[in-house]
Amino acid sequence: MLNQKEILETIRMIEQQHLDIRTITMGISLMDCAAQDINAACDNIYEKLMRLAGKLVRTGEQIEAEYGIPIVNKRISVTPIAQIAAASKATDYVPFARTLDRAGAELGVNFVGGFSALVHKGMTCADERLISCIPEALSVTERVCSSVNVGSTRAGINMDAVRWMGQIIKAAAARTAGQDGLGCAKLVVFANAVEDNPFMAGAFHGAGEPECCVNVGVSGPGVVKSALEQVRGASFDVVAETVKKTAFRITRMGQLVAREAADRLGVPFGIVDLSLAPTPAIGDSVAYILEEMGLEQAGAPGTTAALALLNDAVKKGGVMASGHVGGLSGAFIPVSEDAGMIAAARSGALTLEKLEAMTCVCSVGIDMVAVPGDTPAATISAIIADEAAIGMINQKTTAVRIIPVPGKNVGDSVEFGGLLGTAPIMRVNPFRSDAFIARGGRIPAPIHSLKN
């Protein structure tokens, strides 16, 4: 249970520093829902989601009301649908996406993650069918999110999948052109994807997870910035210690809420993802934390070093507050979802190349970046390949969530609303990578993949 002291401290952080629980995500295994008949499989999935997640939203709202802790999203993640659909004789997997969306709407959750495939070493027939359906699935659903894992440190990078995903992203943008390519905001391409990620669009419930569990993702960039304001001019040793102590308090709150939610729902507590997840709200920005360290604007020389310190200190402080830290855990840098990143991109301080450098030391990768609608599919594939290589070599999760906005060019912007925010259209290197991407095959795993 939450004690009085922790409640009072949490209330202060909520009222003054934009602290919130970004998401309570219920992970649900669908392994027992597979069936040869697609209609039977979809019925099984719908029934199981309604049965296990029926109290999820109400429980989240009760915790919010009782403790005054904002819980921004209630979400569901499921077993990668390619693994469930493989048992069916269907060739069109869009009905699975429609089923997830229908259940999500009736349950009142914000998103359902898991229209996914894991193809880092190769593609099954089911994987191929699911990937081919992604553009349509994202265009006919509201809540469904999709992810594809194309590389890992152990397997290398599946360049055939990388090439195809560039085309899929372009097709998803075209399918949702009337919404400025919104479908791409619900699609992420991973390397080293994790099985317990509570954050969308990359959430899925991995094979090593229990039948059902609750994972919590916290936020708190505003709390960290406020803490650093108290140590202006101090050395980086002091900065690191300040971030660690603040991350502990943030994560402790997430741990307490996660335990409370799990107890009330009668399912196991999974993990707390202690990532600093920004929002478009002024003050709730990872970029502002970097600027508080002394940078004129995010993207200036020194940004990568500042982000490395932040990411490491968040992990060190947060891990002491929870016995089960997981997910991605660190600092997110989604451009459209971070007011400071948006400003930096508009001013030219933050470029796609600088973002790539920053992804070497943060939690994910090129995230919620809008680019001109005429960006070639091969160029998008090459950006995915670069990020996958960073993840593969550095033994970390990296990802690409990129939006080629139809009809938009550098200098324009697009408004997605809500947590997805506003995306300035960023410049893409004009030199082509077509022949590189056309090679296909697999980039071999690095030598340290043999560590065992």
Side-chain angles (χ1 to χ4, degrees), residues 225-271:
K225 181 181 183 298
S226 178
L228 291 182
E229 288 173 356
Q230 309 306 311
V231 294
R232 283 181 179 167
S235 72
F236 283 116
D237 306 274
V238 175
V239 170
E241 285 299 311
T242 301
V243 174
K244 283 163 58 179
K245 292 176 182 177
T246 307
F248 177 88
R249 296 201 307 272
I250 294 170
T251 308
R252 182 60 179 160
M253 186 267 287
Q255 163 86 1
L256 293 167
V257 170
R259 290 285 188 189
E260 189 75 12
D263 288 346
R264 295 187 184 198
L265 290 166
V267 301
F269 158 56
I271 57 94

Side-chain angles (χ1 to χ4, degrees), residues 25-378:
T25 301
M26 176 176 279
I28 300 175
S29 171
L30 301 182
M31 299 299 280
D32 58 347
C33 296
Q36 285 192 340
D37 179 77
I38 188 172
N39 293 320
C42 288
D43 288 345
N44 293 341
I45 291 170
Y46 176 81
E47 185 279 328
K48 189 166 189 180
L49 294 184
M50 297 302 293
R51 173 166 48 86
L52 293 182
K55 298 179 180 179
L56 176 62
V57 171
R58 185 166 69 252
T59 298
E61 291 172 346
Q62 288 172 348
I63 294 172
E64 285 183 277
E66 291 177 27
Y67 299 117
I69 300 172
I71 301 173
V72 179
N73 275 188
K74 294 85 177 175
R75 302 167 175 172
I76 295 171
S77 63
V78 300
T79 308
I81 289 296
Q83 297 176 6
I84 307 307
S88 77
K89 297 179 180 179
T91 57
D92 178 8
Y93 292 173
V94 173
F96 287 104
R98 290 186 182 275
T99 298
L100 296 176
D101 200 51
R102 178 165 68 98
E106 293 186 22
L107 290 166
V109 299
N110 302 93
F111 293 107
V112 182
F115 196 76
S116 306
L118 310 179
V119 299
H120 37 284
K121 202 170 184 180
M123 288 182 273
T124 65
C125 294
D127 293 327
E128 292 177 355
R129 290 168 185 159
L130 183 133
I131 291 172
S132 68
C133 292
I134 287 174
E136 182 180 355
L138 296 180
S139 70
V140 300
T141 60
E142 181 181 351
R143 293 167 172 80
V144 172
C145 292
S146 181
S147 60
V148 178
N149 192 66
V150 299
S152 74
T153 298
R154 298 286 292 186
I157 304 172
N158 183 345
M159 291 300 292
D160 293 319
V162 168
R163 176 176 58 193
W164 196 8
M165 287 311 299
Q167 299 164 4
I168 291 295
I169 289 169
K170 289 282 288 186
R175 281 272 194 166
T176 54
Q179 299 169 286
D180 290 321
L182 180 63
C184 297
K186 299 184 290 178
L187 171 60
V188 60
V189 185
F190 274 117
N192 288 323
V194 297
E195 296 188 328
D196 56 4
N197 171 20
F199 289 106
M200 301 297 170
F204 64 87
H205 191 68
E209 295 293 297
E211 181 75 5
C212 182
C213 67
V214 168
N215 299 319
V216 164
V218 298
S219 182
V223 181
V224 175
K225 181 181 183 298
S226 178
L228 291 182
E229 288 173 356
Q230 309 306 311
V231 294
R232 283 181 179 167
S235 72
F236 283 116
D237 306 274
V238 175
V239 170
E241 285 299 311
T242 301
V243 174
K244 283 163 58 179
K245 292 176 182 177
T246 307
F248 177 88
R249 296 201 307 272
I250 294 170
T251 308
R252 182 60 179 160
M253 186 267 287
Q255 163 86 1
L256 293 167
V257 170
R259 290 285 188 189
E260 189 75 12
D263 288 346
R264 295 187 184 198
L265 290 166
V267 301
F269 158 56
I271 57 94
V272 174
D273 186 318
L274 51 90
S275 296
L276 295 180
T279 73
I282 299 298
D284 199 23
S285 164
V286 169
Y288 291 162
I289 297 173
L290 306 179
E291 291 165 12
E292 185 61 40
M293 292 187 195
L295 302 172
E296 181 178 0
Q297 195 162 32
T303 297
T304 304
L307 184 58
L309 182 155
L310 175 65
N311 204 63
D312 180 65
V314 165
K315 291 177 186 289
K316 287 175 178 174
V319 76
M320 296 296 293
S322 174
H324 298 286
V325 171
L328 299 168
S329 291
F332 286 180
I333 52 171
V335 174
S336 79
E337 299 174 13
D338 185 308
M341 295 291 178
I342 294 169
R346 282 178 172 161
S347 72
L350 186 66
T351 65
L352 201 55
E353 289 75 17
K354 185 61 177 179
L355 269 174
E356 182 180 310
M358 293 164 66
T359 64
C360 296
V361 299
C362 73
S363 288
V364 194
I366 301 295
D367 193 16
M368 285 303 291
V369 170
V371 297
D374 60 0
T375 302

Side-chain angles (χ1 to χ4, degrees), residues 394-419:
N394 291 295
Q395 306 179 64
K396 68 184 293 292
T397 302
T398 50
V400 172
R401 186 164 46 148
I402 192 168
I403 308 162
V405 184
K408 299 285 187 177
N409 293 296
V410 176
D412 296 331
S413 64
V414 57
E415 179 68 47
F416 292 119
L419 286 179

